Amino acid sequence: MLTTSPTSLHFTRTSHRVPTMAPPLTFISFLCLCSIFVAKTLSFSSDQTPKTFIFRVDSHSKPSVFPTHYHWYSSEFAEAPQILHTYDTVFHGFSAVLSPDQVASVSRHPSVLAVFEDKRRQLHTTRSPQFLGLRNQRGLWSESDYGSDVIVGVFDTGIWPERRSFSDLNLGPIPSRWKGTCEAGVRFTAKNCNRKLIGARFFAKGHEAAGNIGGPVSGVNNTVEFRSPRDADGHGTHTASTAAGRYAFEASMAGYASGIAKGVAPKARLAVYKVCWKDSGCFDSDILAAFDAAVNDGVDVISISIGGGDGISSPYYLDPIAIGAYGAASKGVFVSSSAGNDGPNGMSVTNVAPWMTSVGAGTIDRNFPAVIVLGNGRKLSGVSLYAGAPLKGKMYPLVYPGKSGMLPASLCMESSLDPNLVKGKIVICDRGSSPRVAKGMVVKKAGGVGMILANGISHGEGLVGDAHLLPACAVGSDEGNAVKAYVSSTSNATATIDFHGTVIGIKPAPIVASFSGRGPNTLNPEILKPDLIAPGVNILAAWTDAVGPTGLDTDTRKTEFNILSGTSMACPHVSGAAALLKSAHPDWSPAAIRSALMTTASTVDNRNQPMTDEATGKPSTAYDLGAGHINLDRAMDPGLVYDISNNDYVNFLCSIGYGPKVIQVITRTPVRCPAKRPLSENLNYPSMAVLFSTTTKGRPSKMFIRTVTNVGVPNSVYRVSVEAPKGITVVVKPAKLVFTEAVKKRSFVVTVSADSRNLVLGDSGAAFGSLSWTDGKHVVRSPIVVTEVTPL
């Protein structure tokens, strides 16, 4: 059940909790139509510390006396040295370092439409292409020529260009439409680019300004970073090679996941935009500048595994990622974004703008098992990527520091362990509060010989592999409780850990990763998010030489490839998939590509059973996996697509109460809303979410209008089939769609009615069904979500 007001107007973790009942959820959409925005409504204190602000300016107001917008901005709004970026492609305006009084003054200028403070965001941290249904010499890989000549822009921590994944061997010339550059800097020159890595830029002005004005970072730290596109963190190299890495034979991470590493679109071209800096996050002003540059450069796809840090989605007009993504999508660029890692909490999905594709994470059919053998003979299953000297079956004393009741010790925080207690022993550490691999370093420093990393109830049974620096194994909540109970039951507890390498063919797979961001959409619950899921657990991809596989400063190991988990890893799978589809269908819009991916997605696992949720073990819902797990063989030929134009998005913004001036912040150009306010649920989205008021008695109903475009055989007949939740009636008119050479588009009306007495809402407060069109070959499926809204 949702609670909302009919007139009411994002990588910091939130607590992870598995809901046990349907909670009342509250949605607040921030329309604030009376003010533009932030600075015009801020009451500033006496603190005049300068900060970075982003200003949205009506570009049409520029006096003709100024040759460029920069000249105008530096004459009327701010001194030239204060201006960091000017934006003129996806966004019109500038960012500058100003005092609160200066911001208040500038915000009163009639040409200033919006002002918002620069925010720091965070990253959402080889079998997967085959697991997506891609095979050599057939299907989407061959039909798209492996994504050849499509340009994928990756917004991340940069790239380590020497990796084999970025070789340009046998690639043709750089596409003539490319207008980008290879920006030189520390340990990076134009020669680091090639016919594969065709462009590289870095954006540090917002990041450096935050440090120069006493913010949370101190500029580019030259001892751990490169002031260039070179990757000091590893995350960017990993995501870029996941999306579009070339074939790399004999790939592995210290022997784990050995085989051929390759990206989803191996022949696609890469353009890297470094907007995130090691240990320092990513600033909105720099991200917006990257959007501006990437669209000007000529990218076809943007992959952005970045999200907010407060667990709340900002309204679109105050969200530079949403604004930049709109500018990109309006010019035909597909934007793939990560859904966030704050699952399994409900309403934890991020990057929810309807013009972005929000990607959650699922597992693949590969695992890295490790087994804990207790002194009483019991064996407990877990996972590990430890590659050092094995314990060889030797039993060691087992200890749980948390037995004392001290939280820091239970979490194995820095300096929390007593060497007298843990020396020569295997130590049980609770997950949370500090990086998983860092706990192992704490144990090792204190003299421990091994670690068992135990999930709490908030993490459930969700496990990811880590390249630990000492023998260590991660276990789920149930096994964690079992090993702690064993320690409590005896004064002479012992254990050992056996590492079993790589196992493929795991069933069931995929399952929804416990950490994957979940719906419903907090801004507009009538738009289902996430859109879909993709492989995001234990993904092998290229890595930087600047840090070891754990990313810890103390980890001196070098590895060409690393194994990571997160929606950060799922997002570039969809970016690569979009590149393949764009190559096979150059005339498809970003919305058509998303529709093809969503309507062909799978909701069953490799046992042909409904996909399960790792957090609960129960069947997953559309709030967990959106339309399902991408299936690229089917996506190449979806039959029908739900397309969306720029004008459709404008009508959607009108429908949620945004006025023309507010919408112009997003769209760049002035707009007019229809005299009759549109209905937000009529946005031509490939999924349908129905919100009924709890105050409506009898049989409430809602109508949806959708239009599909035939992209398959011209003369086709599609018939509808519906899976309706209990207590819900779904009627589709017409129930048959006939397409010809001349008629490529057909509209239909969906009427969803509820029987309040028999409506059954599940644990998430919603009921789930689907609507499918089929012509005997294609199945074009859309999820349906029904929930109740309590007006405030």
Side-chain angles (χ1 to χ4, degrees), residues 136-390:
N136 292 347
Q137 306 307 321
R138 70 178 184 87
L140 187 51
W141 259 350
S142 59
E143 294 284 338
S144 67
D145 190 23
Y146 299 81
S148 181
D149 289 354
V150 175
I151 302 167
V152 179
V154 180
F155 292 13
D156 216 294
T157 63
I159 196 166
W160 197 264
E162 293 83 4
R163 291 301 183 220
R164 290 182 291 158
S165 298
F166 310 123
S167 163
D168 65 354
L169 182 67
N170 297 327
L171 282 182
I174 294 170
S176 58
R177 58 195 165 81
W178 175 247
K179 296 185 294 184
T181 189
C182 194
E183 193 174 357
V186 177
R187 290 189 60 188
F188 201 97
T189 71
K191 293 181 179 179
N192 286 120
C193 291
N194 56 23
R195 296 189 307 275
K196 175 65 176 180
L197 176 61
I198 64 173
R201 298 179 184 266
F202 66 97
F203 301 83
K205 290 179 180 178
H207 171 83
E208 290 173 329
N212 292 335
I213 58 182
V217 296
S218 54
V220 174
N221 185 341
N222 294 322
T223 62
V224 299
E225 256 293 1
F226 306 103
R227 201 178 187 282
S228 75
R230 186 168 289 278
D231 183 8
D233 179 274
H235 192 279
T237 300
H238 198 280
T239 55
S241 62
T242 299
R246 300 297 302 278
Y247 280 66
F249 294 89
E250 298 182 3
S252 74
M253 197 287 290
Y256 285 98
S258 59
I260 302 170
K262 52 191 170 295
V264 178
K267 284 189 180 180
R269 314 306 174 108
L270 277 168
V272 167
Y273 300 83
K274 182 174 177 177
V275 297
C276 301
W277 299 82
K278 183 173 171 59
D279 302 329
S280 302
C282 338
F283 282 83
D284 280 344
S285 57
D286 295 332
I287 295 171
L288 203 49
F291 269 113
D292 233 38
V295 174
N296 266 326
D297 289 346
V299 303
D300 301 296
V301 174
I302 289 174
S303 186
I304 179 164
S305 294
I306 301 168
D310 53 11
I312 299 173
S313 293
S314 299
Y316 307 127
Y317 59 79
L318 295 180
D319 181 353
I321 290 182
I323 294 170
Y326 181 90
S330 69
K331 294 178 180 292
V333 179
F334 180 95
V335 182
S336 173
S337 58
S338 48
N341 296 345
D342 286 326
N345 291 334
M347 299 192 294
S348 56
V349 63
T350 62
N351 294 321
V352 297
W355 45 85
M356 303 169 72
T357 299
S358 307
V359 188
T363 64
I364 60 176
D365 63 342
R366 178 179 66 200
N367 205 1
F368 310 106
V371 175
I372 300 164
V373 182
L374 301 179
N376 61 6
R378 184 171 180 182
K379 295 181 179 181
L380 304 173
S381 297
V383 301
S384 182
L385 293 170
Y386 172 70

Side-chain angles (χ1 to χ4, degrees), residues 543-562:
W543 192 244
T544 178
D545 240 6
V547 294
T550 64
L552 297 175
D553 295 338
T554 51
D555 187 356
T556 59
R557 298 172 295 177
K558 303 293 184 186
T559 180
E560 183 183 5
F561 297 91
N562 200 5

Side-chain angles (χ1 to χ4, degrees), residues 703-762:
M703 284 186 7
F704 293 77
I705 301 171
R706 291 290 188 270
T707 301
V708 287
T709 303
N710 182 20
V711 294
V713 178
N715 297 301
S716 303
V717 178
Y718 283 81
R719 290 175 171 82
V720 75
S721 64
V722 172
E723 290 183 13
K726 185 177 180 181
I728 296 293
T729 302
V730 180
V731 177
V732 182
K733 293 185 178 180
K736 181 173 74 172
L737 303 177
V738 180
F739 298 93
T740 65
E741 291 274 6
V743 180
K744 296 186 180 297
K745 293 180 181 286
R746 288 289 189 190
S747 296
F748 58 94
V749 177
V750 182
T751 304
V752 181
S753 305
D755 180 350
S756 302
R757 293 168 300 177
N758 294 317
L759 179 60
V760 178
L761 302 181

Side-chain angles (χ1 to χ4, degrees), residues 49-53 55 77-78 82 94 96-100 102-103 106:
T49 303
K51 294 181 180 179
T52 302
F53 286 82
F55 298 84
F77 299 98
Q82 295 174 308
F94 64 95
V97 179
L98 299 175
S99 70
Q102 290 172 312
V103 173
V106 171

Side-chain angles (χ1 to χ4, degrees), residues 535-618:
V537 178
N538 294 333
I539 303 301
L540 178 80
W543 192 244
T544 178
D545 240 6
V547 294
T550 64
L552 297 175
D553 295 338
T554 51
D555 187 356
T556 59
R557 298 172 295 177
K558 303 293 184 186
T559 180
E560 183 183 5
F561 297 91
N562 200 5
I563 295 171
L564 298 183
S565 299
T567 54
S568 277
M569 285 61 252
C571 168
H573 279 86
V574 170
S575 309
L580 294 178
L581 289 172
K582 187 72 174 177
S583 183
H585 304 283
D587 57 330
W588 282 10
S589 70
I593 291 172
R594 175 177 58 197
S595 174
L597 292 168
M598 289 177 65
T599 61
T600 60
S602 175
T603 59
V604 297
D605 57 30
N606 53 6
R607 307 168 303 172
N608 207 33
Q609 298 293 315
M611 215 173 292
T612 57
D613 179 355
E614 186 178 47
T616 64
K618 298 177 181 179

Side-chain angles (χ1 to χ4, degrees), residues 465-695:
D466 289 304
H468 292 284
L469 287 154
L470 83 171
C473 172
V475 295
S477 179
D478 291 346
E479 288 86 351
N481 290 336
V483 73
K484 291 172 194 174
Y486 165 65
V487 169
S488 297
S489 70
T490 177
S491 59
N492 189 31
T494 59
T496 191
I497 307 172
D498 294 333
F499 303 96
H500 291 190
T502 305
V503 176
I504 60 175
I506 297 293
K507 292 185 178 183
I511 61 177
V512 180
S514 62
F515 58 77
S516 186
R518 313 301 173 100
N521 176 344
T522 55
L523 281 186
N524 297 105
E526 61 271 39
I527 303 297
L528 178 65
K529 292 288 180 171
D531 290 306
L532 38 68
I533 65 170
V537 178
N538 294 333
I539 303 301
L540 178 80
W543 192 244
T544 178
D545 240 6
V547 294
T550 64
L552 297 175
D553 295 338
T554 51
D555 187 356
T556 59
R557 298 172 295 177
K558 303 293 184 186
T559 180
E560 183 183 5
F561 297 91
N562 200 5
I563 295 171
L564 298 183
S565 299
T567 54
S568 277
M569 285 61 252
C571 168
H573 279 86
V574 170
S575 309
L580 294 178
L581 289 172
K582 187 72 174 177
S583 183
H585 304 283
D587 57 330
W588 282 10
S589 70
I593 291 172
R594 175 177 58 197
S595 174
L597 292 168
M598 289 177 65
T599 61
T600 60
S602 175
T603 59
V604 297
D605 57 30
N606 53 6
R607 307 168 303 172
N608 207 33
Q609 298 293 315
M611 215 173 292
T612 57
D613 179 355
E614 186 178 47
T616 64
K618 298 177 181 179
S620 56
T621 73
Y623 280 167
D624 307 322
L625 48 65
H629 188 281
I630 58 171
N631 183 329
L632 292 186
D633 269 356
R634 291 182 56 205
M636 180 186 65
D637 180 21
L640 307 175
V641 295
Y642 294 80
D643 210 351
I644 303 177
S645 67
N646 292 343
N647 193 55
D648 293 332
Y649 287 127
V650 169
N651 283 339
F652 166 77
L653 293 170
C654 294
S655 76
I656 61 175
Y658 287 16
K661 286 290 187 183
V662 180
I663 296 173
Q664 189 180 349
V665 174
I666 302 165
T667 62
R668 306 181 309 285
T669 54
V671 302
R672 302 182 86 177
C673 286
K676 183 179 179 182
R677 184 163 161 173
L679 298 174
S680 57
E681 55 264 32
N682 282 340
L683 180 67
N684 201 40
Y685 219 71
S687 55
M688 303 169 198
V690 190
L691 281 63
F692 288 125
S693 171
T694 54
T695 61

